[in-house]
Amino acid sequence: AVVYIKDMNILNHLLARRSTPVLAILILCFCAPAWAENPAMSPPNTQPTTQASTLTQGMWVWHESDFNTDQAQKQLLDFCERFGFNRIFVQIHADDQAPIYTIRYPKELTRLVAQATERGIAVEALDGAHDMAYKQHQPTTLAMLDALIDLNQSMPVGQRFVGIHYDIEPYVGDEWKACQQSRDAVMLDLLTFY
């Protein structure tokens, strides 16, 4: 499961205080998939820990400011270790200033993945938009994928993204909501994309 981090300091504060509503939400986010597969599984320890968890606990890192400096990376990875996160989903953005599709902050991402790997934290690249699989956007989506693959292949073996996560939610777009015919067209676009 993924948690959207808008402000790491606020989330860190809430977790440190063990706010019951926040912990309940986080436990559901982290554990619902595992509990569905194995109901006998006991709830995880919500105390800060440095021990590796056998349960995958993921976190969505949306803002580039959470990883684009050495200090931000250290704070992010220390936070992950403290609260048992062993997988992070890092939102990838295109460099809009480049003449071809390239990933913004490639050196920083390479360093983040290397340091996370050293700490036992897996990193997935994440991208998403409700319309990224629409036929008219497929060339852009695939160009971004090529840029991401190029970046990943430039990283040292053993210190690469462990996956690419696409978060495509067509049901939030106007085309999906317009009418059944429009929804069917969206579904055909998605099927031809996959």
Side-chain angles (χ1 to χ4, degrees):
V2 179
V3 174
Y4 170 66
I5 292 204
K6 183 171 183 181
D7 185 326
M8 181 125 23
N9 292 326
I10 290 172
L11 185 57
N12 192 11
H13 175 76
L14 290 172
L15 284 172
R17 292 187 52 146
R18 292 175 186 78
S19 170
T20 303
V22 171
L23 286 177
I25 291 168
L26 293 175
I27 289 169
L28 287 175
C29 289
F30 298 154
C31 304
W35 290 344
E37 292 174 20
N38 184 359
M41 179 184 252
S42 61
N45 180 3
T46 58
Q47 302 295 322
T49 180
T50 58
Q51 297 177 357
S53 173
T54 56
L55 178 66
T56 297
Q57 296 189 72
M59 178 171 64
W60 181 3
V61 180
W62 174 264
H63 297 285
E64 293 168 324
S65 61
D66 288 330
F67 69 82
N68 67 1
T69 66
D70 290 340
Q71 182 181 358
Q73 287 184 14
K74 181 178 181 337
Q75 182 182 4
L76 172 64
L77 296 176
D78 288 350
F79 178 88
C80 289
E81 283 185 332
R82 181 173 179 206
F83 291 102
F85 291 101
N86 54 16
R87 182 169 300 256
I88 55 177
F89 302 86
V90 179
Q91 180 70 44
I92 303 299
H93 299 277
D95 184 346
D96 298 331
Q97 305 304 314
I100 59 169
Y101 278 94
T102 56
I103 306 299
R104 215 163 36 200
Y105 296 110
K107 291 177 186 172
E108 292 81 355
L109 283 166
T110 299
R111 192 171 54 250
L112 173 66
V113 173
Q115 290 178 8
T117 301
E118 289 173 9
R119 294 186 187 210
I121 301 167
V123 182
E124 290 190 32
L126 177 110
D127 195 11
H130 77 277
D131 59 355
M132 69 186 293
Y134 290 3
K135 191 170 292 303
Q136 67 268 28
H137 297 288
Q138 289 175 6
T140 303
T141 300
L142 294 174
M144 185 70 168
L145 176 60
D146 287 341
L148 184 53
I149 289 170
D150 289 345
L151 173 63
N152 203 42
Q153 289 178 339
S154 74
M155 295 176 178
V157 174
Q159 296 182 339
R160 295 180 175 168
F161 291 112
V162 297
I164 298 172
H165 183 105
Y166 275 158
D167 185 15
I168 303 172
E169 300 174 348
Y171 50 85
V172 300
D174 292 337
E175 297 87 345
W176 184 271
K177 297 173 185 175
C179 66
Q180 185 63 44
Q181 184 178 5
S182 178
R183 188 173 312 133
D184 291 346
V186 169
M187 290 304 298
L188 286 174
D189 281 356
L190 289 170
L191 290 171
T192 60
F193 181 68
Y194 296 122

